[in-house]
């Protein structure tokens, strides 16, 4: 039996990058995967197709984040899609991956941009969990995708880093809140990962690539499967005694 057979997972921001890798890995491990995404219908459908072609089960739910009521809308879409796979409507694994991956520096960021970054990166995960509690089964998992910038200073991305620090604090408190139900809550903090988000400065620039590789103690840029593997572990029963932690998955960046 696969490690997550019989489980239902929700992954936000799952149409590309790290979110896609997580969704596909959880699908390979046996979970039914709700592929939540904001805009890219074709990309999300491709993820669902890839999971199904690999022998898994999945469905897509369009759920933009960042506005009041977004969590309610997300769970309404989940309820509709999950009926085919889990008639009780339950969920075992919530992966809060969706987020805005950068922000302007202190001198140039506007109040509007600041509010938007916090709305997507902090408020949305908070209320996704709040609104999902009645669906989240005992013994479940909440996994928040944080960032190495919650511990590494990078002033030019100060607002973004602050959202990830807030997410880690949310993780810590939520683990205490949900512990009596056997639910574990952890953060995973990636470093520099080769995704389309970083493509504009990382790919095709040998100097940038060399610098990015040098940041890690392991001497290379991270891959999406470096992160999905950590998430997959935290989702299994093997991680049942790990909770309230931020798992550094930066490849030893800035040690």
């Amino acid at each position: 039996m696969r490690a997550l057979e019989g489980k239902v997972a929700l992954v936000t921001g799952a149409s590309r990058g790290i979110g896609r890798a997580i969704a596909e890995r959880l699908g390979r491990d046996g979970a039914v995967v709700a592929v939540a995404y904001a805009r890219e219908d074709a990309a999300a459908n491709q993820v669902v197709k890839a999971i199904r072609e690999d022998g898994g089960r999945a469905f897509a739910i369009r759920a933009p984040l960042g506005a009041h009521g977004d969590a309610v809308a997300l769970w309404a879409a989940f309820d509709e899609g999950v009926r085919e796979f889990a008639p009780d409507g339950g969920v075992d694994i919530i992966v809060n991956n969706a987020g805005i991956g950068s922000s302007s520096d202190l001198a140039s960021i506007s109040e509007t941009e600041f509010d938007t970054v916090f709305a997507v990166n902090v408020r949305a995960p908070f209320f996704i969990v709040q609104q999902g509690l009645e669906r989240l089964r005992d013994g479940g998992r909440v996994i928040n995708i944080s960032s190495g910038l919650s511990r590494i200073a990078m002033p030019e991305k100060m607002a973004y880093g602050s959202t990830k620090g807030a997410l880690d604090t949310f993780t810590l408190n939520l683990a205490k809140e949900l512990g009596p139900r056997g639910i574990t809550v952890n953060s995973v903090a990636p470093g520099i990962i080769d995704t389309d988000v970083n493509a504009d400065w990382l790919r095709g620039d040998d100097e940038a690539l060399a610098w990015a590789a040098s940041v890690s103690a392991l001497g290379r840029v991270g891959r999406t499967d470096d992160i999905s593997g950590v998430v997959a572990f935290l989702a299994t029963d093997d991680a049942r005694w790990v909770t309230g932690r931020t798992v550094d998955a930066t490849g030893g960046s800035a040690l």
Side-chain angles (χ1 to χ4, degrees):
M1 179 179 291
R2 292 178 292 179
L4 299 178
E5 200 72 45
K7 304 295 186 182
V8 176
L10 166 72
V11 183
T12 66
S15 65
R16 62 178 186 165
I18 292 172
R20 175 172 184 162
I22 292 170
E24 292 182 355
R25 174 60 188 270
L26 298 185
R28 284 195 301 273
D29 287 353
V32 173
V33 183
V35 176
Y37 68 102
R39 292 176 298 277
E40 300 174 7
D41 296 347
N45 290 333
Q46 182 59 43
V47 177
V48 170
K49 180 181 179 183
I51 292 171
R52 291 176 176 174
E53 288 178 345
D54 211 19
R57 296 174 294 165
F59 61 98
I61 54 176
R62 186 182 178 106
L65 302 177
H68 289 182
D70 55 8
V72 173
L74 181 149
W75 285 115
F78 173 88
D79 291 342
E80 182 175 347
V82 80
R83 290 189 192 122
E84 177 184 350
F85 307 96
D88 70 346
V91 64
D92 301 281
I93 303 157
I94 299 173
V95 182
N96 285 307
N97 167 76
I100 294 173
S102 187
S103 65
S104 301
D105 62 18
L106 178 63
S108 58
I109 192 169
S110 67
E111 291 183 351
T112 298
E113 182 186 356
F114 182 94
D115 290 346
T116 300
V117 172
F118 270 83
V120 175
N121 293 9
V122 182
R123 190 177 71 205
F126 187 103
F127 285 100
I128 285 170
V129 173
Q130 184 207 60
Q131 294 298 312
L133 283 179
E134 64 183 26
R135 302 167 178 85
L136 184 59
R137 298 185 179 111
D138 290 353
R141 303 285 186 263
V142 178
I143 303 167
N144 298 316
I145 304 304
S146 180
S147 169
L149 293 190
S150 64
R151 70 165 178 85
I152 301 170
M154 188 172 284
E156 60 269 30
K157 298 182 184 296
M158 189 181 300
Y160 168 76
S162 297
T163 66
K164 297 305 184 178
L167 195 63
D168 291 345
T169 299
F170 174 52
T171 293
L172 180 66
N173 285 276
L174 192 62
K176 182 72 170 179
E177 176 82 6
L178 300 184
R181 293 179 54 192
I183 297 168
T184 67
V185 185
N186 292 286
S187 290
V188 175
I192 301 172
I193 305 296
D194 185 8
T195 67
D196 58 337
V197 173
N198 293 322
D200 59 341
W201 67 273
L202 187 59
R203 297 176 187 171
D205 186 330
D206 291 342
E207 185 175 338
L209 183 61
W211 172 82
S214 73
V215 172
S216 165
L218 298 175
R220 66 170 174 84
V221 174
R223 303 185 304 264
T224 56
D225 64 335
D226 292 325
I227 308 306
S228 63
V230 177
V231 173
F233 165 70
L234 291 173
T236 67
D237 187 59
D238 285 343
R240 61 190 175 275
W241 205 236
V242 180
T243 195
R245 299 295 89 193
T246 296
V247 179
D248 188 296
T250 67
S253 293
L255 292 181

